[in-house]
Amino acid sequence: MPALRLLLKKFGFDSFRLSQEDVCRCVADGQDVLLVMPTGAGKSLCYQLPGLARGGVTLVISPLLALIDDQVAKLQARGLRAEQIHSGRSREESRATCLRYLHGELDFLFIAPERLGVPGFPEMLQKRKPTLIAVDEAHCISQWGHDFRPDYRRLSARLAGLRPAPIVALTATATPVVQQDIVQQLGIPAARQFIQGFRRTNISIQVHEILPSHRSSACTKILNESEKKTSGLPAIIYATTRKATEEIAFDLQKHFRTACYHAGMPATSRDDVQARFMSGKVDVIVATVAFGMGIDKANIRTVIHAGMPGSIEGYYQEIGRAGRDGLPASAILLYSFADTKTHEFFFERDYPKPEILRQIFKAASKSPLPKDDLRKKARKSEKIDTEIFDKALEKLWLHGGVQVDPEETVSIGAPDWERTYQKQRQHRSRSLEHVTHFSRNPGCRMLFFLNHFGDKADALGPCGICDHCTGGASSHFRSMARPLDQNERSGVAMILSNLISGSRSAGKLFEESTSSRLNPNRMSRGGFETLLNVLAQQKWISITQQSFEKDEKTIQYRSIELLHRGEIAKSEDIGKLQIASAFGSAAEKADLSKKRIRKSRRITQAKRAINDQPGTDSSAVKRLKEWRLAKARERGIPAFRILTDRVIEALAESAPSTLDQLLEVSGVGANLQKKYGREILRCLSQLL
Ligand code: ADP
Ligand code: MG
């Protein structure tokens, strides 16, 4: 049947989007394909249609149970024969699905990658090989990705027995390095690569430097102002913490029909908030990034980030929810230098220093040691904090440096863990740098994204509607502009005179030397950056982001050049400069951010002190650990992959009795709730 007829008949669509047709043809012809297109572009069709065209079963590997259930339901609603097998389903259901698979009664079988490690399962698949294999969310296979999972890494070996079916790998978030890694890891180096569709022509992107304490009022102003021209509503405001979502929502309620959304709220409230937003009863949602997955609301006019996002990939995904209807929409980022510090703090917590992993690796040996003994053995002069130890052990295990059995006894693994861990850690730290570069980057915002994702199919023209293309600060903030204070004026004079007296010819200025040469009297880093931005916006200087390769690493640096207007500027011109969107003086800002960091450090130190108490396990902790061990044995994975000790302690302490309450426990997300929620509650209730 011709592709277009199949499209209409099976999916009810009357035309292909973008290059769906090209991709479908390649896949139907049996070629391996890597497809990178943004969320919502219609990637699923690119395996579903060719799967039907090829006949037989398409095996779909996807990492998230919620996504699997959603996709299966959609296909079933179209009358297609789709089923799923994963740990959230009962044995009977799985058995029935296997039978249907073997009898050739399925078009699509969805599984999570770990299923291929379950003894007997690959053998079952081999009895009737799939005719197509789709690996969704394929960035999880890359050792650089933060979602990197060992089960994905083993995919290529495990899929070998199911070949010669073609493999199509799909993802929305892969930079060129990750793209290469995916095809390498999957063993499909000759795959046709389609990387496209990243340009959004109707989203105007703006970036403003604004202190956390002023973000609510900035949001109000943005939404109020845009309402006068064309409506800025409905809007999503993303905040970095649950607390911040509540605070901003509280302020915005006075002006708009507002609701708050984060993973700590009961599922029923979240569903309710989402439903009210979808039906137009709520105009503004203030949410953490937990909100938006699978949200199909076409008329969102504004997406505001009230804080620096953690990665460009995530950020692009989030702003992509604006203007799906094709009408004008805005994406506005409010950030300040202090946000970087918050991210650095999370980074140190989530990616422990390699030295700590090395210490643990050295302490491990061929004969298995209980986890706690290993921790004691691994410590040098200083004791390793339990939370950091658990994180480090998990990373070491993920990268093959240790083997951990379900009982959490640990034995030594292969020494090459260090290479992949370092890579992953560097990649993560670089992705934070990319966000900083983005916020400071003086060029077209949309072009920055296209370059970032390696979308070469695009002709690469500036967007014409972002803050840089339209010449600096937007109207939202012009009225908030203030003149520079005395310190800032002398800072500008200093920067200009240093550029005139020679550094200009040096051209290449590294991050550190930029500060020391242009900022000799040590303004705060945030204050200094603000001034550079003001000068760049006035076209007194140009800042370009550049890079070169050294020892296989890409070194990023900024090149700062004095332009004619800066060269001829006089002190009265400096007096006329305005800081377009910053609130408060540079001094106030630096001070505030320092205080915040000190405070957050104090809190975590206090927490650590509590965690390090060698207290005896309560009966709830004991029970949960017993249950966890049974689960871990059943699945053949280390116990901490089921639940970490920290989450067990939190569960024991807050003793939730409903699925909703369960979600309020710190460390419990929707996935865990879905997978083990009932069992955990049963476990806790048996104590009463
Ligand atoms: P992705 O996986 O790229 O994020 P999906 O495959 O989930 O995106 O598709 C997003 C939406 O677009 C779905 O609702 C899908 O039904 C719809 N869609 C995909 N292709 C077409 C098409 N050719 N015509 C109309 N709608 C389409
Ligand atoms: Mg998808």
Side-chain angles (χ1 to χ4, degrees):
M1 197 187 292
L4 209 54
R5 284 233 345 253
L6 202 57
L7 182 71
L8 189 65
K9 183 160 173 251
K10 299 287 185 182
F11 296 91
F13 303 146
D14 48 19
S15 63
F16 283 106
R17 278 188 190 160
L18 262 171
S19 42
Q20 275 178 333
E21 192 169 6
D22 288 346
V23 182
C24 285
R25 191 172 307 117
C26 274
V27 178
D29 285 351
Q31 292 188 54
D32 296 329
V33 162
L34 169 68
L35 176 61
V36 186
M37 291 203 295
T39 307
K43 290 186 290 298
S44 323
L45 189 85
C46 298
Y47 68 78
Q48 291 170 351
L49 190 75
L52 293 175
R54 289 174 68 81
V57 194
T58 297
L59 180 70
V60 187
I61 296 156
S62 173
L64 277 177
L65 306 194
L67 284 181
I68 291 181
D69 290 348
D70 186 54
Q71 295 277 1
V72 169
K74 276 189 182 152
L75 288 169
Q76 286 175 346
R78 295 192 195 285
L80 294 166
R81 302 174 304 171
E83 284 294 341
Q84 71 271 54
I85 296 183
H86 59 59
S87 56
R89 310 204 84 209
S90 72
R91 262 168 225 272
E92 294 71 48
E93 286 170 320
S94 302
R95 201 165 301 137
T97 301
C98 287
L99 283 176
R100 289 188 65 193
Y101 175 86
L102 289 172
H103 292 152
E105 292 168 11
L106 291 181
D107 301 315
F108 299 96
L109 176 63
F110 284 72
I111 58 168
E114 47 270 25
R115 185 60 36 176
L116 291 172
V118 173
F121 190 77
E123 291 76 5
M124 193 279 294
L125 293 179
Q126 276 169 29
K127 287 192 192 144
R128 188 184 195 103
K129 289 186 181 180
T131 43
L132 174 64
I133 300 168
V135 181
D136 207 358
E137 311 296 332
H139 54 277
C140 293
I141 200 176
S142 167
Q143 40 192 334
W144 282 292
H146 60 286
D147 287 333
F148 168 68
R149 300 218 214 163
D151 281 303
Y152 259 69
R153 187 174 48 184
R154 289 181 213 120
L155 219 46
S156 132
R158 287 172 177 173
L159 290 177
L162 302 178
R163 296 281 249 159
I167 295 181
V168 47
L170 313 104
T171 174
T173 69
T175 58
V177 222
V178 175
Q179 290 158 16
Q180 286 329 301
D181 202 30
I182 292 173
V183 293
Q184 288 294 326
Q185 299 290 326
L186 271 179
I188 48 167
R192 273 284 297 274
Q193 302 194 8
F194 295 88
I195 291 125
Q196 58 206 12
F198 283 91
R199 180 185 290 269
R200 291 289 305 272
T201 52
N202 61 329
I203 303 181
S204 135
I205 305 168
Q206 292 163 24
V207 180
H208 303 285
E209 195 176 347
I210 292 189
L211 284 180
S213 52
H214 292 89
R215 286 180 191 157
S216 291
S217 58
C219 289
T220 309
K221 196 167 167 63
I222 291 166
L223 296 178
N224 263 331
E225 281 209 354
S226 27
E227 216 170 357
K228 282 177 212 149
K229 290 174 273 164
T230 53
S231 176
L233 305 174
I236 305 178
I237 299 175
Y238 284 111
T240 24
T241 62
R242 293 174 183 186
K243 190 159 154 269
T245 61
E246 283 163 7
E247 287 168 1
I248 297 176
F250 180 79
D251 290 343
L252 261 70
Q253 257 160 27
K254 297 166 205 152
H255 310 276
F256 310 100
R257 295 184 299 169
T258 306
C260 174
Y261 184 108
H262 58 66
M265 287 161 46
T268 46
S269 323
R270 280 184 295 147
D271 290 348
D272 178 55
V273 166
Q274 189 167 321
R276 282 190 294 146
F277 185 59
M278 296 301 284
S279 65
K281 293 196 182 95
V282 158
D283 293 319
V284 181
I285 290 272
V286 191
T288 57
V289 292
F291 181 75
M293 267 253 239
I295 295 286
D296 223 349
K297 188 169 171 69
N299 64 339
I300 294 169
R301 295 271 70 83
T302 314
V303 172
I304 302 177
H305 280 74
M308 193 93 119
S311 72
I312 292 291
E313 291 88 310
Y315 177 62
Y316 180 82
Q317 190 121 326
E318 285 136 30
I319 68 171
R321 295 183 182 129
R324 287 273 169 87
D325 54 8
L327 298 172
S330 349
I332 297 161
L333 168 61
L334 312 178
Y335 81 104
S336 75
F337 190 66
D339 297 341
T340 331
K341 293 288 161 207
T342 317
H343 282 299
E344 277 166 13
F345 173 80
F346 288 137
F347 173 71
E348 291 298 332
R349 186 197 62 186
D350 296 339
Y351 292 85
K353 294 209 164 52
E355 293 91 274
I356 301 177
L357 275 72
R358 225 173 279 142
Q359 237 167 291
I360 301 173
F361 181 72
K362 277 193 192 134
S365 63
K366 279 203 180 115
S367 54
L369 262 185
K371 192 178 92 171
D372 285 335
D373 295 352
L374 180 68
R375 182 161 81 96
K376 286 180 198 128
K377 195 175 159 203
R379 80 180 192 206
K380 278 186 182 156
S381 50
E382 243 183 293
K383 182 160 141 183
I384 308 176
D385 170 297
T386 44
E387 211 171 312
I388 294 179
F389 177 83
D390 282 352
K391 195 33 108 185
L393 186 68
E394 183 182 359
K395 292 285 181 202
L396 203 52
W397 173 76
L398 277 171
H399 292 272
V402 290
Q403 282 146 17
V404 186
D405 65 13
E407 288 80 2
E408 300 208 312
T409 57
V410 186
S411 53
I412 198 161
D416 64 347
W417 62 269
E418 181 149 2
R419 195 178 48 83
T420 58
Y421 179 60
Q422 294 271 24
K423 261 192 189 170
Q424 191 194 30
R425 194 169 186 271
Q426 272 167 15
H427 184 78
R428 179 69 201 126
S429 120
R430 226 167 275 153
S431 79
L432 291 174
E433 283 168 24
H434 286 153
V435 181
T436 313
H437 293 159
F438 169 77
S439 64
R440 291 177 188 161
N441 186 53
C444 168
R445 304 284 182 191
M446 190 51 75
L447 281 188
F448 185 96
F449 288 127
L450 299 182
N451 280 325
H452 185 83
F453 290 108
D455 185 343
K456 298 205 181 75
D458 193 286
L460 295 180
C463 75
I465 51 175
C466 71
D467 50 358
H468 286 306
C469 286
T470 55
S474 80
S475 60
H476 302 312
F477 293 103
R478 236 163 246 156
S479 52
M480 293 180 183
R482 62 166 179 81
L484 309 194
D485 65 21
Q486 177 58 45
N487 279 336
E488 289 161 344
R489 284 201 299 274
S490 52
V492 166
M494 180 65 77
I495 292 172
L496 293 177
S497 78
N498 281 331
L499 280 171
I500 288 170
S501 71
S503 326
R504 178 165 62 139
S505 55
K508 291 180 182 181
L509 290 178
F510 292 89
E511 288 303 327
E512 285 319 308
S513 61
T514 309
S515 314
S516 59
R517 288 165 84 170
L518 294 184
N519 181 18
N521 48 359
R522 303 275 151 91
M523 259 175 274
S524 77
R525 179 82 181 260
F528 174 63
E529 293 300 334
T530 306
L531 295 186
L532 287 183
N533 278 336
V534 168
L535 295 180
Q537 272 172 9
Q538 293 302 314
K539 308 223 160 31
W540 289 19
I541 62 172
S542 76
I543 309 174
T544 42
Q545 199 67 49
Q546 304 192 2
S547 63
F548 65 90
E549 302 288 322
K550 187 179 174 229
D551 303 336
E552 290 182 40
K553 280 188 215 149
T554 311
I555 312 269
Q556 298 266 0
Y557 67 92
R558 283 183 299 168
S559 163
I560 298 181
E561 219 177 310
L562 185 66
L563 301 179
H564 180 65
R565 285 165 81 168
E567 202 164 352
I568 58 168
K570 305 205 173 58
S571 67
E572 58 260 39
D573 298 322
I574 297 178
K576 285 185 211 145
L577 287 178
Q578 299 237 320
I579 290 192
S581 60
F583 291 78
S585 70
E588 180 201 338
K589 265 193 233 171
D591 213 45
L592 257 175
S593 61
K594 267 190 208 133
K595 269 191 204 142
R596 194 161 293 121
I597 294 160
R598 272 203 298 271
K599 190 171 157 210
S600 74
R601 263 193 210 139
R602 267 205 311 278
I603 293 171
T604 45
Q605 273 162 5
K607 265 198 191 153
R608 277 183 201 160
I610 295 169
N611 280 338
D612 263 2
Q613 299 282 333
T616 47
D617 287 352
S618 72
S619 54
V621 169
K622 258 193 206 136
R623 262 217 83 84
L624 285 168
K625 283 192 175 164
E626 278 162 24
W627 166 82
R628 176 178 71 170
L629 178 58
K631 266 274 115 112
R633 283 192 177 134
E634 188 183 310
R635 302 199 39 209
I637 54 175
F640 63 71
R641 291 295 281 188
I642 310 274
L643 282 179
T644 63
D645 288 354
R646 197 175 57 77
V647 176
I648 287 202
E649 272 150 30
L651 283 168
E653 197 183 301
S654 44
S657 59
T658 65
L659 282 172
D660 282 349
Q661 288 171 5
L662 188 68
L663 262 187
E664 290 169 38
V665 178
S666 125
V668 179
N671 223 16
L672 185 71
Q673 182 208 37
K674 190 174 165 92
K675 231 171 171 171
Y676 301 125
R678 285 179 201 288
E679 293 183 50
I680 292 173
L681 291 178
R682 204 173 311 132
C683 217
L684 287 166
S685 69
Q686 280 164 358
L687 290 161
L688 298 174

